[in-house]
Amino acid sequence: MKRKILSALLTSSLLLIGCSDDDNTTEPVDPPVVEPPVTDPVDPPVSESVAIDEAEAVTLTLETFDTESGTLTFTLTNDADKAITDASNYQIMYFGYPISGSNNAKAWKRWHVSQSYSCDTSTEDACNGVLTETDIAGQYTFNATDLDLDSKAAAGAVEQYKVAILIHGAKASNEFELITAEE
């Protein structure tokens, strides 16, 4: 008898579970609202340039050197390859050399002629030449006013031109390097 009662109970429970009531509809449930995570304020964008007086290192790359006018184009970067802006203090020296040494026994074996330009904004002295920052951050042009190395040597003696450029900041200057003009 217990089996009959147990079978009846099991059958009736299955019938109750399997039947659905079409009149009893459930209302749709709104999806849960998910709040966006709280984040720190956005840091300002990293600058791709640094002012000359803030640079810890200065690297100069000469791009063009016009030997007739002395016009130079160069770029300045720091040790993180960021463009250096606001450069204004400089020493620029032009050198003219012969290809061969002098035949004069009293002359130095390797003579040269030179002309210098400088600017130190901490003094009241006038700057020689014109240093201009171009539209490209970190790129500069230098125009040498009244450059004339040929007049300081015998006619036609100057055959090779070199330049040394020193750009000074409050914390660093570039390395001194004598750069030969590309022919």
Side-chain angles (χ1 to χ4, degrees):
M1 178 137 165
K2 286 188 177 186
R3 242 182 218 199
K4 268 187 172 182
I5 294 175
L6 188 58
S7 301
L9 283 173
L10 185 58
T11 305
S12 63
S13 64
L14 285 175
L15 287 174
L16 288 174
I17 292 174
C19 294
S20 66
D21 189 359
D22 290 336
D23 295 335
N24 188 7
T25 59
T26 59
E27 299 211 10
V29 177
D30 290 333
V33 176
V34 178
E35 304 247 348
V38 177
T39 59
D40 292 332
V42 177
D43 291 332
V46 176
S47 174
E48 296 300 319
S49 64
V50 63
I52 185 75
D53 288 336
E54 298 301 317
E56 299 285 336
V58 178
T59 301
L60 183 138
T61 304
L62 183 63
E63 294 175 18
T64 61
F65 178 4
D66 181 357
T67 57
E68 291 193 29
S69 67
T71 301
L72 307 170
T73 303
F74 56 89
T75 56
L76 298 175
T77 56
N78 69 358
D79 50 353
D81 286 330
K82 290 185 177 182
I84 294 178
T85 59
D86 305 324
S88 59
N89 295 323
Y90 57 84
Q91 291 176 308
I92 299 176
M93 294 148 279
Y94 293 88
F95 297 90
Y97 294 92
I99 294 295
S100 60
S102 172
N103 292 332
N104 185 343
K106 293 184 180 183
W108 290 6
K109 189 164 186 149
R110 296 211 43 154
W111 63 267
H112 70 274
V113 294
S114 64
Q115 190 165 340
S116 299
Y117 296 85
S118 64
C119 185
D120 184 355
T121 57
S122 66
T123 66
E124 294 182 14
D125 296 338
C127 296
N128 306 24
V130 179
L131 181 65
T132 307
E133 192 167 358
T134 68
D135 293 336
I136 301 169
Q139 185 180 61
Y140 296 84
T141 58
F142 179 77
N143 293 312
T145 54
D146 302 324
L147 178 64
D148 189 10
L149 295 175
D150 291 325
S151 70
K152 298 177 182 183
V158 176
E159 297 176 352
Q160 187 178 46
Y161 297 89
K162 297 182 181 186
V163 67
I165 307 167
L166 289 172
I167 305 296
H168 306 288
K171 297 178 181 179
S173 298
N174 63 297
E175 289 186 29
F176 179 83
E177 179 182 4
L178 197 57
I179 305 167
T180 302
E182 298 292 324
E183 297 292 325

